[in-house]
Amino acid sequence: MSSPDPQVRAARNLTDPSPESTPEEKHPRSPGIRGPVVAVTGAATGIGELLTAHLAASDAIKQVIAIDERRGEVSEATWHILDVRDPAIAEKLRGADVVVHLALDLDLETDPAARTAYNVRGTQTVLTAAAAVGVHRVVLCTSAMVYGALADNDVPLSEDAELRATAEATGVGDLLEIERLGRRAPRAHPGLNVTVVRPTVLVGGTDTALTRYFESPRLLVVAGSRPTWQFCHVEDLVTALEYAALEKIDGEFAVGCDGWLEQEEVEELSGVRRMELPSAVALGAAARLHRIGLTPSPAGDLAYTMHPWVVSVSRLHDAGWRPKWTNEEVLGALLEEVEGRHTLAGRRLGRKDATAAGAAGATVALLGAAAVVRRARKARRRI
């Protein structure tokens, strides 16, 4: 996932919606429009908000039903305010032809058990509710991370390659379970079709372990590894989701830029130098820092910066879709977005700490992250 921008974290902290936010206001489209009625979950923020606005402006869509825990800004949509885990969502989906389920929490800072409970229960509820009221297609958005980052991966992977990821990276276990639920749903609910969209490294208002990689003073490279980078801008993901909602493509498919960048190209384009560490040092330090709670990223996230996991996007191409962004352009946009941020071992640092880390040797910088964070915690306790 980008994972995508966190879509439910802020909403959970809100109080009950005001009467102005209640969902019964209708915005019917022209009766001449024969397109589908599309429901979007997680519609108030992140990718969900972008997709809701895009579909609401499309002449190919009859009506957009927007579902979230708070009302969003797209006034042309019909809003329903509720948690996607609530079985009452079934009535809100009645009349929809397609549901695009984007209410996922992939925030690095969320408690992993709470995150999994939300993501899995929410997907189960949406699939069951959609089938109960006659929705004929549900679109799930996971990530190309489900293929796994392994040294022996083909470059590029076929879209029907085996899913070899494990649950050792942030949120990947949730995404694998979501895909399993998606595969089972048509067997349990005949007549329900499930489409799965797998974006590559997602960029554009997102905060993931992979975007934070580019916030570091040096780009960590594990000795002997073979990093490759394939990006996906959120604008391209939105148009790919539109293709799925309009049933121009079905099944399971990847979305991202054409081709990929080697690590050396990334370093040349970014102007950021590498710090190279032995595998045992890098993985051991990452595991240690995460285990004692000083970094949000488990050691498994490092695999996606070590081994190739780029994937063909031939199914979208065959359907007539083309990305508007190139890998070079998305990398440039990402570097602009993260400018001024400072991250080490997956944890955001203050400017002073980041300057010190950049000047240190690679091993000292990584292993010293714990000491940096401890000093910051002690300073906060003294205030």
Side-chain angles (χ1 to χ4, degrees):
M1 202 176 306
S2 196
S3 80
D5 198 24
Q7 299 186 28
V8 295
R9 188 178 180 85
R12 292 179 184 168
N13 296 324
L14 295 177
T15 57
D16 290 338
S18 66
E20 203 172 44
S21 299
T22 53
E24 299 310 322
E25 183 180 357
K26 304 296 181 183
H27 297 274
R29 304 295 295 273
S30 166
I33 296 176
R34 301 190 176 204
V37 175
V38 180
V40 180
T41 68
T45 57
I47 303 300
E49 181 180 30
L50 293 175
L51 180 65
T52 300
H54 184 81
L55 295 179
S58 172
D59 289 337
I61 302 297
K62 184 175 182 179
Q63 182 187 2
V64 180
I65 299 171
I67 297 173
D68 210 319
E69 294 179 53
R70 68 176 177 86
R71 187 185 178 96
E73 300 297 324
V74 183
S75 61
E76 298 83 1
T78 300
W79 284 90
H80 296 296
I81 315 303
L82 79 167
D83 188 314
V84 292
R85 294 169 294 182
D86 187 340
I89 196 173
E91 280 305 309
K92 311 307 181 185
L93 297 178
R94 190 175 296 279
D97 301 296
V98 179
V99 176
V100 183
H101 178 47
L102 298 174
L104 299 179
D105 183 357
L106 297 176
D107 194 326
L108 289 171
E109 309 297 338
T110 299
D111 173 73
R115 180 183 63 219
T116 296
Y118 180 84
N119 291 336
V120 174
R121 177 68 180 275
T123 302
Q124 286 176 322
T125 304
V126 167
L127 287 167
T128 302
V133 296
V135 173
H136 68 261
R137 181 178 300 273
V138 174
V139 180
L140 303 177
C141 186
T142 61
S143 168
M145 294 176 77
V146 296
Y147 290 106
L150 295 98
D152 63 349
N153 274 347
D154 292 335
V155 180
L157 288 162
S158 166
E159 287 167 286
D160 58 7
E162 179 185 357
L163 305 187
R164 298 199 290 163
T166 65
E168 295 174 354
T170 304
V172 173
D174 294 1
L175 300 179
L176 289 168
E177 180 61 17
I178 287 168
E179 293 225 0
R180 187 183 71 83
L181 292 171
R183 287 191 298 273
R184 290 177 54 190
R187 297 195 296 269
H189 308 288
L192 179 67
N193 297 302
V194 176
T195 298
V196 178
V197 185
R198 298 169 179 156
T200 56
V201 180
L202 195 58
V203 173
T206 58
D207 178 25
T208 68
L210 294 169
T211 58
R212 287 193 184 188
Y213 177 82
F214 292 92
E215 299 177 13
S216 299
R218 296 286 186 271
L219 298 180
L220 172 63
V221 177
V222 175
S225 67
R226 181 194 171 194
T228 53
W229 293 90
Q230 182 184 23
F231 298 101
C232 177
H233 196 275
V234 292
E235 292 178 358
D236 284 334
L237 175 57
V238 164
T239 59
L241 289 168
E242 179 188 28
Y243 261 61
L246 291 173
E247 302 184 64
K248 295 181 178 180
I249 186 170
D250 56 16
E252 301 165 349
F253 64 90
V255 54
C257 299
D258 293 331
W260 60 88
L261 298 174
E262 302 287 349
Q263 181 72 20
E264 293 75 15
E265 295 176 285
V266 167
E267 292 169 17
E268 182 179 354
L269 289 166
S270 67
V272 182
R273 291 184 292 172
R274 70 168 61 191
M275 62 178 188
E276 191 162 320
L277 294 178
S279 175
V281 173
L283 293 170
R288 210 155 40 243
L289 292 173
H290 182 67
R291 186 170 58 250
I292 61 178
L294 294 179
T295 62
S297 298
D301 285 343
L302 274 181
Y304 291 89
T305 69
M306 294 170 58
H307 306 304
W309 54 289
V310 301
V311 62
S312 164
V313 292
S314 60
R315 289 178 182 163
L316 270 172
H317 276 240
D318 291 345
W321 178 93
R322 295 293 183 274
K324 291 184 178 179
W325 292 74
T326 66
N327 281 303
E328 291 84 355
E329 290 169 342
V330 181
L331 175 59
L334 173 57
L335 293 171
E336 287 183 12
E337 194 170 290
V338 303
E339 187 175 0
R341 299 176 189 169
H342 307 286
T343 293
L344 195 62
R347 187 180 185 95
R348 293 245 169 90
L349 305 176
R351 183 176 296 275
K352 182 177 179 181
D353 289 332
T355 301
T363 304
V364 174
L366 186 63
L367 298 180
V372 167
V373 175
R374 285 195 186 100
R375 287 200 301 273
R377 284 182 170 176
K378 287 180 181 178
R380 286 198 297 271
R381 284 198 293 267
R382 287 197 296 268
I383 295 175

